[in-house]
Amino acid sequence: MVASAEKHDVFKAIADSTRREVLRLLSENERPISEIADHFDMSRTAVTKHLQILTEAELISGRKEGREKIYQIHPEPLTEVKQWLAYYEKFWGNKLSMLKHLVEKEE
Amino acid sequence: MVASAEKHDVFKAIADSTRREVLRLLSENERPISEIADHFDMSRTAVTKHLQILTEAELISGRKEGREKIYQIHPEPLTEVKQWLAYYEKFWGNKLSMLKHLVEKEE
DNA sequence: TAAACGTACAACCAAATGGTTACATATTCA
DNA sequence: TGAATATGTAACCATTTGGTTGTACGTTTA
């Protein structure tokens, strides 16, 4: 396989619904691994693997605090997705797309 | 594995860089399979599989025209990604995010 | 200090993913 | 009609993905 496979692939990171749910949880609050794992019907180990993938995409980071590892969200890499999407918004053809493109440029 | 795995998963569809490139090509012009395949360093069969996944996500559709099958883009399902992203924009904290949220509501 | 807690990680596994080759079928055109 | 063109599809394969269990290790806390 070729596929370039950038190590920090945000598109691949958000492709999984479990990982999107992790992001939602962390958008509410930073949380230790065990608390995140409690929200899912899978082992803590499995959740840890998802956390690693999100970490590689730099969407989250974890700090050690005592015996816990506390994860927090970093949504900035989502700008790559946002910019990718922006290209396709012109194909929607709704009236506000022009205004939104102008707003985009100010960022 | 659980993973819900909706048959029309737009997040999974756009996770692959080849499929994103297919979308870009089709955003320029509708094209037959062989023309799409010419842009990639892989077999036509492999490209066809990507076209099937994009079709299942309803991001493209193909019509038979003579011996050709011509694909065109349908970007509408990307709104799901856009809406998902919108939730995280408030975490950016840039000054225009409020205006953009208002604009969003008009659609 | 010993037990409980939270995490790390190795080893393993089934299924999905992303690719291949080979061959069949439908359409066009000389 | 027969050859060339465009696509469809079956069979196969290696790697990745998403999960498991078991064990080890550092940190609290009774």
Side-chain angles (χ1 to χ4, degrees), chain B residues 37-98:
Chain B
D38 285 345
H39 284 80
F40 297 97
D41 187 27
M42 68 180 72
S43 69
R44 178 187 47 78
T45 306
V47 171
T48 294
K49 289 188 182 180
H50 286 298
L51 294 174
Q52 284 168 352
I53 290 169
L54 288 168
T55 300
E56 282 166 5
E58 299 182 348
L59 283 163
I60 65 174
S61 69
R63 67 176 186 279
K64 213 64 191 283
E65 201 154 293
R67 60 185 160 187
E68 295 188 323
K69 186 161 187 184
I70 299 180
Y71 278 91
Q72 56 183 294
I73 193 170
H74 299 294
E76 294 82 4
L78 294 177
T79 50
E80 184 182 347
V81 180
K82 188 184 169 175
Q83 286 166 14
W84 180 82
L85 268 183
Y87 172 77
Y88 291 96
E89 290 186 5
K90 59 171 170 281
F91 298 103
W92 262 271
N94 47 348
K95 317 134 226 162
L96 287 160
S97 59
M98 188 67 71

Side-chain angles (χ1 to χ4, degrees), chain B residues 2-16:
Chain B
V2 187
S4 80
E6 312 175 23
K7 198 55 192 162
H8 309 297
D9 189 336
V10 73
F11 286 93
K12 284 230 161 55
I14 67 171
D16 184 272

Side-chain angles (χ1 to χ4, degrees), chain A residues 12-96:
Chain A
K12 286 233 161 57
I14 67 171
D16 185 271
S17 63
T18 298
R19 290 195 289 269
R20 290 198 300 277
E21 180 68 7
V22 167
L23 289 178
R24 200 193 60 73
L25 287 170
L26 294 182
S27 76
E28 296 174 357
N29 261 309
E30 57 179 29
R31 302 177 199 258
I33 296 180
S34 54
E35 189 181 325
I36 299 170
D38 284 344
H39 284 79
F40 297 97
D41 187 27
M42 68 180 73
S43 69
R44 181 184 47 75
T45 306
V47 172
T48 294
K49 289 188 183 182
H50 285 299
L51 294 174
Q52 284 167 353
I53 291 169
L54 288 168
T55 300
E56 282 166 6
E58 299 182 346
L59 282 164
I60 65 174
S61 69
R63 67 175 186 280
K64 212 66 192 280
E65 202 154 293
R67 62 187 160 186
E68 294 188 324
K69 188 161 186 184
I70 299 180
Y71 277 91
Q72 57 183 295
I73 192 170
H74 298 295
E76 293 82 4
L78 294 177
T79 50
E80 185 182 346
V81 181
K82 187 184 170 176
Q83 286 166 15
W84 180 81
L85 268 183
Y87 172 77
Y88 292 96
E89 289 186 5
K90 60 171 169 281
F91 298 103
W92 261 272
N94 48 347
K95 318 133 225 160
L96 287 161

